[in-house]
Amino acid sequence: MEAGKDYSTMRPEELVVEEKRAHREQITTAVLIGFLIGVIIYGLATKGFGLLHTLLPAGLIVLIARNTVRTKERLAAIWAELGKKRPA
């Protein structure tokens, strides 16, 4: 759960907004990872193995991937709370 966010006190409308924000974050992350993979492939194809165009983007991909785990946990918490608050 994100610091400062207590999903149990939020209204369903606010939870839906948070859910959409998390989905946008996932899409942005996927596009950024795809771009960085493209940079690695381009760098390998044109200049071979090097620090700037292979290792640096790979390190950024690892850092970004760690953040996606937190985003998935936030989404799971939001979905659980929405399941409690929405009528069956």
Side-chain angles (χ1 to χ4, degrees), residues 24-38 64:
R24 280 194 306 266
E25 186 177 321
Q26 281 184 322
I27 291 170
T28 303
T29 300
V31 168
L32 185 57
I33 288 174
F35 173 75
L36 290 172
I37 290 172
I64 292 168

Side-chain angles (χ1 to χ4, degrees), residues 39-73:
V39 168
I40 291 172
I41 292 170
Y42 176 77
L44 288 173
T46 59
K47 298 178 182 142
F49 188 78
L51 177 68
L52 184 61
H53 51 271
T54 53
L55 295 180
L56 184 63
L60 289 173
I61 289 171
V62 169
L63 291 175
I64 292 168
R66 286 184 184 171
N67 189 31
T68 60
V69 172
R70 290 187 207 113
T71 302
K72 288 178 183 178
E73 290 172 355

